[in-house]
Amino acid sequence: MSPQSRARKKKSSGPAEPAEQGMTGFFKDVLNDFGSVPPEAGPLEVEVLGSTMVGEWWDPEDDLIGFELIDYAGRKTSPGAAALLAALRVLAPTGKLRDGAADALGAVLGRGIPEPDWAAGLGEVSLGECWQLGDAYGESSTLLGTFGYRDETHGVLAYVEHGDGVVSDVAVVDNPEDVLAGMREEEAEQEGIIALRQITPARYRRLLEDGLSAVDKLADVEVSADFMRYRALAMARCRRLPEPEPAPEPEPVGDRDALVAEFFRQTPELADNEDSRHCAHLLIDYGVQTEPDRPLRVSPDRLLYFLEEWVPNELELTEEQDEVLPEVVLGWAHWAGTRQGLPEAALNALVEATRDSLEGADADLDLYLDAGEEIEDPEELAELLERRRFAVPDTFAEIGDEELELEPTDPEQRRLLVIGEHPEYHDALGDEIGEAVLQVEDGEFDAAAYLAMKVSIVDQLWDNEPPEVWAAASRLREQGAEREEILDRLVDVLAGAAVQDWDGAEEADQDELRFDLDEYRQALAELDGVLPGSSD
C-alpha cells in the first residue's frame, strides 16, 4: 500500500548538505549540476533534479538559504544560473522564493544568457486521474495522482498515515498505469480490508498537501529518504490542482456516560459493573487523547497501542479492573468496529487481531520473566515488565544478513539484541561482534567498548542491580528524554566510573569492566535531565 521506497529515517532538522561542504561550495556545485543539463532534457528530468536540490536545504522555518542561493545565481552570467533559477521559479517551496527566482532569472537573461528550451513549459502539466487505496479502518492510504507532459505521463505516489495526518513517503513514478494495476491486485487480494477508489483532484490535493505540511509541524516524524527528494515536486503538483476540499469536521464524543451505557446495552455478554464501565471510559479517554478528531476510531494498531503502551504508561489499574479489561477491549473492538461501519472481513480481522494482542500480553510474561521467576504482586510485576521492556523493547535483531528472533532472558541473546540496535557499528566490529573486546585509547572507548558498556547497562536494568540505574532512567523519562538518550547518559556514567579505575588495571585484566560501585551509585543518584556542559 505504500511507495516502493519504504526505508525510513528521522526527519532532517536542517540543511545538512550545505553545512558540510560550505555554503559557497554548495552553491557552485548546484550551478554546475544545472549547467550540465542538456538543452533537450525533458521537463520531468529537470524537476526531479530541482526537487532533489531543494530537499537538501529546505528548512520550513527559514528561507535564508533559498534566498542566498537565488542571490548567488542572480549575480552570475551563465547557463547554469539561468537553468537553476528557471527551476526554482517553479519548484521553490514558498511564493516569495518563487517570485525572487523569477526576478533573478530576468536579470540573468537580461545579460544575454538564453533561457533553457524546457523552461517555458516547466510545471505546465496536464491532470489525469487521482486514486486512493486505503484500509477500512482509516489507518493509512496510498495516493496516486497522474500527470502528463504531452504524451508522457507520470505519477506522484504518497503514503498517508491518517492518525497524525502526515505524508511519510512520497515518490515520482514513470509507470502510473502499472502502479494502478498493482493497487487493483492488492484490493482484490485483501477484499473487505482495503479498498481502491477514484477521488477528486480537490481531495487528492487536501490529503497530499496537508500531509506534507504536517511533517513540518510535528516533532520526531519519520519520513523516507525519497520524501526529501520529491517533496518540492509534489508541492508543485499540488499548486496545479483545484483548491483543496475542506477537511472533514471532527467527530465529537458527546455524552460519555450515555455512550458507555449504549456500549453495554449492545454488548450484553459483558458484565455491566463499575470496573467494566471504568475500562470503557478509559477507551474513550485514550481516543480523545491520541486522536481527538476521530476519538472512537478503532483499528488493530490502535487497540494494540492502547494495550501495550497507553495503559501501562498512563494508568494504574486495580486488580479488579485489570481482570476485566481484556473482555471490555474485545467487546469494544466489535462494538466500535460495527459502529464505524467496517465491512464484515475488516470487522472479523479487527476482533481476531485484538484477541491475538490480548493473548500476546500473557505470552509477553514468558519473554520477560526468567526461568522459575514468579511474581504474584501485580504492582511488582508491572514495574518489572516496564523496566525490562525499557531495557529490551524488541526481541528481533538484524545482524549482517540474518534476522534473528531472540530470547531476552538469555544474557548472550540479550547482548545480540543490543548489538542489533547499532548496525552502524557492525562493520567496525567485524569478527569481534561475537566478542566485543574492550579497548580504550586516550580515554575514548571504541565501538566494541561502547556496546559492551551498553550491554552492561541493559543487564543492570534487567536485574535491577544496582537499583539506582532504573531510578535514574525513570527520572530522565519523566523529564521527557527518549530511550536512546537515556541509555547513552547511563553509558557515560558507567564509562566515567570505569575509566577512573582503568589506569590501575593490569594489562591482563583490561578486558574486564571494573568500577567503584559506591562512586557509580553516587553518580547515578546525581544524574538528571541537564545535559553535560549545559548552562541550565
Side-chain angles (χ1 to χ4, degrees), residues 115-379:
E115 186 175 59
D117 294 340
W118 44 258
L122 197 68
E124 300 293 324
V125 293
S126 61
L127 174 63
E129 297 174 339
C130 298
W131 296 86
Q132 179 180 9
L133 178 68
D135 64 77
Y137 311 108
E139 195 79 9
S140 61
S141 296
T142 297
L143 306 177
L144 174 65
T146 57
F147 304 88
Y149 279 114
R150 296 182 182 176
D151 296 332
E152 295 184 1
T153 61
H154 60 275
V156 175
L157 191 65
Y159 183 72
V160 188
E161 300 176 9
H162 293 297
D164 293 329
V166 301
V167 167
S168 58
D169 200 356
V170 64
V172 173
V173 296
D174 58 9
N175 58 339
E177 299 85 359
D178 294 341
V179 173
L180 182 59
M183 288 177 159
R184 295 189 193 281
E185 291 177 3
E186 192 168 353
E187 178 189 34
E189 291 171 359
Q190 301 187 57
E191 184 179 2
I193 304 294
I194 61 174
L196 176 68
R197 59 176 175 155
Q198 189 172 356
I199 59 175
T200 65
R203 173 166 297 183
Y204 175 85
R205 177 173 180 175
R206 173 178 65 82
L207 292 170
L208 179 57
E209 197 168 56
D210 288 355
L212 293 169
S213 300
V215 171
D216 298 324
K217 300 173 184 176
L218 299 174
D220 297 327
V221 175
E222 290 188 346
V223 297
S224 72
D226 276 349
F227 177 92
M228 308 303 292
R229 183 182 183 194
Y230 292 116
R231 174 169 59 167
L233 196 157
M235 291 295 287
R237 289 294 178 270
C238 286
R239 293 192 290 272
R240 294 288 298 173
L241 296 172
E243 287 297 310
E245 69 174 17
E249 293 293 325
E251 301 172 4
V253 169
D255 187 329
R256 299 191 186 192
D257 290 334
L259 193 67
V260 169
E262 177 189 344
F263 164 61
F264 280 100
R265 279 197 308 272
Q266 297 180 7
T267 317
E269 65 273 17
L270 279 180
D272 184 357
N273 55 46
E274 183 178 350
D275 293 319
S276 296
R277 286 193 171 234
H278 177 78
C279 292
H281 274 282
L282 291 180
L283 283 155
I284 298 174
D285 293 343
Y286 165 70
V288 171
Q289 180 178 320
T290 58
E291 198 169 331
D293 286 349
R294 296 182 298 169
L296 299 182
R297 185 178 74 84
V298 288
S299 73
D301 284 349
R302 280 187 60 70
L303 291 180
L304 176 64
Y305 188 87
F306 172 80
L307 290 167
E308 294 193 353
E309 298 291 338
W310 195 79
V311 170
N313 293 324
E314 299 285 336
L315 307 169
E316 290 188 12
L317 300 180
T318 66
E319 187 174 346
E320 293 77 16
Q321 292 164 355
D322 192 58
E323 184 176 341
V324 300
L325 180 65
E327 295 179 3
V328 174
V329 173
L330 194 60
W332 189 269
H334 189 277
W335 174 80
T338 302
R339 190 178 187 274
Q340 198 168 308
L342 293 179
E344 183 179 359
L347 181 61
N348 291 339
L350 172 66
V351 173
E352 187 62 29
T354 304
R355 184 177 287 111
D356 289 344
S357 297
L358 292 166
E359 292 173 356
D362 293 333
D364 212 26
L365 294 177
D366 295 332
L367 289 175
Y368 288 94
L369 287 180
D370 293 326
E373 195 172 24
E374 296 183 4
I375 300 176
E376 296 183 0
D377 185 342
E379 292 186 7

Side-chain angles (χ1 to χ4, degrees), residues 418-419 421-430 433 445-448 450-451 454 488:
V418 174
I419 292 174
E421 291 182 340
H422 293 278
E424 70 274 17
Y425 293 153
H426 292 179
D427 289 342
L429 289 174
I433 280 184
F445 289 92
D446 64 4
Y450 167 78
L451 290 175
K454 187 171 180 180
D488 283 345

Side-chain angles (χ1 to χ4, degrees), residues 368 387-394 408 414 417 458 462 483:
Y368 288 94
R387 171 167 45 81
R388 290 184 176 175
R389 284 174 182 149
F390 174 82
V392 187
D394 201 345
R414 195 158 64 232
L417 288 168
V458 168
W462 186 273
R483 175 178 176 272

